[in-house]
Amino acid sequence: MNGQSEWVQKALGLVEQGKELALTWLVSPAAWSQFGLLVLAYLAALVITRRLRPVAMRLLTPSADSAHILAKLRRFGLLFVPLLLPLIAYVLTGIGESVTRSLFGSGAVIAFGKRLFLFLAARILVREIITEPFLKMLGKYILIPVMAIYTLGLLDPAIAKLSATMINIGNISFSVMSLVRGVIAGSLLFWFGRWSNDQSAAYIGKNEEMRPATRTLAIKTAEILIFGIAFLLLMNIMGISLTSLAVLGGAIGVGLGFGLQKIASNFISGVILLLEGQATVGDFVELDGGEAGTIVKMTARAAVLETFDGRWVVVPNEDFITTRVVNYSDSGSANRYEAPFSVSYDTDINLVPAIIEKAVATHPDVLDAPYPPDCELRGFGDSGIDFAVEFWVNGLDDGPNKYSSDVLFLIWNALKDAGIEIPYPHRVVEFKNGLPTADPKAGPV
């Protein structure tokens, strides 16, 4: 109860101070003049905004088909047109504050109005201009409350109180204000870092002159640099010396040495893969363990393979370094396939290669280099003469591409057009003593 009474007494004291301040303002000519100047500044800002807004809209609105950098800047500036009224009122109120302080030596009322206009500008900024969800959340829960405290003139005492409250963790010491400042600055820094990383990744990804592995390495390097700089800036803003993190860094080093060996190994393997370019995004690979698929993503720890049946297989980067890897699409190299077939023994086999090679060459994806289609005699089978045609394509004979199936269709149609028979198995049964005859004296079986 005593504590509660003390708080009640403090609250009543603040109410009394507020009443005295209000009465002082009501009977003070300086306060009335400041209030009048405040109203006059708002009305003047309203008139100026009504005249200036159409001009600003006309100057900042580019044509619909404009896409150059100046048009983008004009569209960006167009977003801030709603801030004209509170900002003009803020400027005019500042001029009025200078006048009242020079005449009456006081400007508390008009200074409050000036802060109020700034609060309204922040509110418009959060509600109408900011569209990014994370920044909108920061504005709603951090910027608006801080501006409200600033409008009431309580920001400086609040900062002083938070700065005087210290937090000690081992040999690291910082104030509550540093923590609050770190949370706010950290949120903004890492959001800006994420945005910068997305922009740099998009810019590097458009550079077709670089190898895919080099592009991926450049993107990862830019990401590490951006977030590393953000972390250093955050430590500086919070007032934490980097030397005080030596113990934490040593603990992390011990953890890497014992418990995180695999993670460190996979990370280093990923860097080696990106540097050497042995496997990169878009390559179809097959590992010793049987995993096979197209690399759709490479992270610091593992590569993600997408199989032809749509499943994703996560393969640690270390497996690409320590095991045998077959890369079917490295540097866009062509792949050779073959399609077997047979013809009847009644066929003039000297005509078959030319017919088949000509037919297979008509396929739009079959290459002339490094070698054109090549039909080879493979052997003499039980039912027919065995051939196979070899052909080269850029791609894999599976998934969206069915080269062997297309080539077999071409072979079938070419042989039919040439009148060549495709054999099927025959079986001949011989009776050495002729066919058995039925005994007429015997009854029915």
Side-chain angles (χ1 to χ4, degrees), residues 347-355 387:
T347 305
D348 184 359
I349 62 174
N350 297 297
L351 303 177
V352 173
I355 295 173
F387 283 88

Side-chain angles (χ1 to χ4, degrees), residues 1-64:
M1 290 295 294
N2 293 335
Q4 185 177 3
S5 301
E6 183 181 352
W7 281 106
V8 171
Q9 291 176 3
K10 288 184 179 181
L12 292 175
L14 291 175
V15 171
E16 290 296 329
Q17 292 179 9
K19 287 182 179 179
E20 293 177 3
L21 181 61
L23 290 174
T24 303
W25 285 3
L26 288 174
V27 299
S28 171
W32 280 103
S33 62
Q34 291 177 53
F35 184 75
L37 284 175
L38 191 62
V39 174
L40 183 62
Y42 175 76
L43 295 176
L46 195 61
V47 173
I48 294 173
T49 301
R50 287 180 177 177
R51 294 181 177 273
L52 190 59
R53 187 185 182 94
V55 178
M57 295 289 291
R58 186 171 62 256
L59 292 176
L60 294 175
T61 304
S63 58

Side-chain angles (χ1 to χ4, degrees), residues 312-391:
W312 279 26
V313 181
V314 180
V315 181
N317 290 329
E318 186 181 12
D319 290 358
F320 287 89
I321 302 298
T322 59
T323 62
R324 185 175 64 91
V325 178
V326 179
N327 193 333
Y328 290 92
S329 52
D330 182 41
S331 302
S333 59
N335 296 312
R336 191 192 71 176
Y337 298 98
E338 66 176 41
F341 64 97
S342 299
V343 298
S344 171
Y345 274 101
D346 297 331
T347 305
D348 184 359
I349 62 174
N350 297 297
L351 303 177
V352 173
I355 295 173
I356 299 303
E357 289 171 1
K358 181 180 178 181
V360 174
T362 61
H363 193 286
D365 293 325
V366 172
L367 304 175
D368 292 330
Y371 301 102
D374 180 26
C375 183
E376 299 177 352
L377 176 64
R378 292 295 173 86
F380 302 98
D382 295 337
S383 302
I385 304 173
D386 297 330
F387 283 88
V389 60
E390 297 176 347
F391 58 94

Side-chain angles (χ1 to χ4, degrees), residues 402-417:
K402 303 293 183 182
Y403 299 120
S404 294
S405 176
D406 295 342
V407 168
L408 288 173
F409 271 107
L410 293 173
I411 293 172
W412 173 274
N413 294 326
L415 293 177
K416 286 294 183 182
D417 293 341

